Amino acid sequence: MTVLEQPGAYRPTPPPAWQPRVDAAPLLPDAEPYRLLGTDAAADIDPALLTRLYGELVRGRRYNTQATALTRQGRLAVYPSSTGQEACQVAAGLVLREQDWLFPSYRDTLAAVVRGLDPVRALTLLRGDWHSGYDPRDHRVAPLCTPLATQLPHAVGLAHAAHLKGDDVVALALVGDGGTSEGDFHEALNFAAVWRAPVVFLIQNNGFAISVPLAKQTAAPSLAHKAVGYGMPGRLVDGNDAVAVHQVLGEAVRRARTGGGPTLVEAVTYRIEAHTNADDATRYRSDAEVEAWRAHDPITLLEEAMRDRGLLDDQAVRAARDAAERLAADLRERMHQDPAPDPMDLFEDVYAEKTGQLREQADFLRAELAAEEGER
């Protein structure tokens, strides 16, 4: 005899007809990635925004090539290039207000630089020096995150805490397509939607999680479609169209700031370079595929659009490239200077106030260093 078969057992009545909690239609992304460049709407884009985006894209490309060269010269241990993805990086760096926070992955050094971070400090972690390389509070840029997607719950936590305090803060969290296969991705989106946290998630879908193509990670129609399962809007955008990415992110940030909750944005782009300098991309993709994406280069797309409107000429192009060369020269000069780290920095920026154990360890190291100095 089962429990329900016992005399007097509770027998629930049939439930009412099932109804969805929210209408899913407004949450669904467009069937095709949203774009602006090459459309009639491009004529209405603010010329000042176009000029700013173009200058940052050119600087960003040169930053990527210089950092890659520094890796080959042994000045960096590793560099995950964002060549080909600069439109996503630049838009992410420009779309936030000063009080907002950026949560980057390891490939998002350019976004941090556009946000205002010193280019050398942005590379310090990849060099193997001094903690994360910078104080996150200086520019509201969280430490570069090497573990996949672990920065996403941090972004949600900060955004939710700011909301509880009544602070006008939005968090923008960046992740690659590979990171969407991690549990942290699910947890972050679920909490963000339930709490209606002021956070925006930007997926840079560059085609591969190291050597694994997207088709082997998910059977979803797009990564943006995943948003519906959490109860937030999903947006699909051409990740090489800098203006479109800036507009879509801007709308998502405004929505978050005004209490509308989180948004998931998928930017469809491509990783032109290998995963890192330690990767041989020729083992899992063809040269023809790479060349096809080079024809959709974000700098070329924007340059052609600006020339069509008479907003860019050869002199302006040279000026942008000269500015990029100055950035590269400064980066090169400072990165070739051998760092002189202070061992006592090990105990800084661990806690707001040093614990007793940290003070004890610092005293021990200080005594050892003094003893070594005395023996010289």
Side-chain angles (χ1 to χ4, degrees), residues 187-210:
E187 293 155 6
L189 268 69
N190 194 55
F191 274 115
V194 171
W195 288 338
R196 296 183 67 81
V199 60
V200 176
F201 302 98
L202 172 59
I203 303 171
Q204 296 175 83
N205 177 5
N206 64 18
F208 294 91
I210 308 184

Side-chain angles (χ1 to χ4, degrees), residues 33-101:
Y34 176 73
R35 62 188 180 92
L36 275 170
L37 297 178
T39 71
D40 293 340
D44 299 326
I45 302 169
D46 181 9
L49 174 61
L50 292 174
T51 301
R52 180 73 189 279
L53 288 171
Y54 180 74
E56 293 292 353
L57 284 177
V58 174
R59 278 165 36 95
R61 177 63 55 84
R62 189 65 184 90
Y63 172 81
N64 271 314
T65 58
Q66 184 59 68
T68 300
L70 289 167
T71 306
R72 292 169 180 160
Q73 295 163 7
R75 289 296 176 176
L76 288 175
V78 65
Y79 183 67
S81 173
S82 59
T83 295
Q85 301 176 222
E86 291 95 345
C88 301
Q89 301 272 305
V90 168
L94 292 180
V95 78
L96 298 174
R97 294 181 182 174
E98 183 179 357
Q99 72 268 25
D100 297 332
W101 276 80

Side-chain angles (χ1 to χ4, degrees), residues 100-125:
D100 297 332
W101 276 80
L102 180 72
F103 282 79
S105 73
Y106 55 87
R107 197 178 299 279
D108 302 320
T109 50
L110 176 56
V113 170
V114 174
R115 179 101 169 114
L117 185 63
D118 181 343
V120 171
R121 289 190 176 275
L123 296 175
T124 300
L125 177 66

Side-chain angles (χ1 to χ4, degrees), residues 54 303 307 311-323:
Y54 180 74
E303 183 173 318
R307 285 185 182 274
L311 301 175
L312 190 71
D313 55 21
D314 292 344
Q315 183 178 353
V317 169
R318 284 193 298 271
R321 291 176 180 173
D322 289 344

Side-chain angles (χ1 to χ4, degrees), residues 85-280:
Q85 301 176 222
E86 291 95 345
C88 301
Q89 301 272 305
V90 168
L94 292 180
V95 78
L96 298 174
R97 294 181 182 174
E98 183 179 357
Q99 72 268 25
D100 297 332
W101 276 80
L102 180 72
F103 282 79
S105 73
Y106 55 87
R107 197 178 299 279
D108 302 320
T109 50
L110 176 56
V113 170
V114 174
R115 179 101 169 114
L117 185 63
D118 181 343
V120 171
R121 289 190 176 275
L123 296 175
T124 300
L125 177 66
L126 302 174
R127 193 179 192 180
D129 298 331
W130 200 83
H131 298 297
S132 70
Y134 55 89
D135 186 338
R137 294 167 295 188
D138 287 345
H139 297 284
R140 305 294 194 273
V141 178
L144 295 175
C145 189
T146 301
L148 291 184
T150 56
Q151 73 274 20
L152 304 187
H154 299 164
V156 176
L158 182 142
H160 183 55
H163 172 70
L164 293 177
K165 292 175 63 179
D167 293 341
D168 179 18
V169 171
V170 173
L172 173 57
L174 279 59
V175 67
D177 47 292
T180 65
S181 296
E182 297 291 325
D184 300 81
F185 176 83
H186 159 73
E187 293 155 6
L189 268 69
N190 194 55
F191 274 115
V194 171
W195 288 338
R196 296 183 67 81
V199 60
V200 176
F201 302 98
L202 172 59
I203 303 171
Q204 296 175 83
N205 177 5
N206 64 18
F208 294 91
I210 308 184
S211 59
V212 179
L214 184 65
K216 291 188 177 181
Q217 291 190 73
T218 181
S222 75
L223 294 174
H225 278 78
K226 291 178 179 287
V228 183
Y230 298 100
M232 68 177 72
R235 294 296 307 275
L236 187 62
V237 62
D238 183 341
N240 286 19
D241 184 335
V243 188
V245 179
H246 187 272
Q247 183 182 100
V248 169
L249 286 181
E251 292 170 354
V253 168
R254 285 190 292 275
R255 180 176 181 273
R257 198 181 304 281
T258 55
T263 302
L264 177 66
V265 178
E266 177 189 355
V268 181
T269 182
Y270 194 76
R271 194 189 73 214
I272 294 295
E273 303 291 343
H275 178 71
T276 68
N277 54 294
D279 173 41
D280 180 8

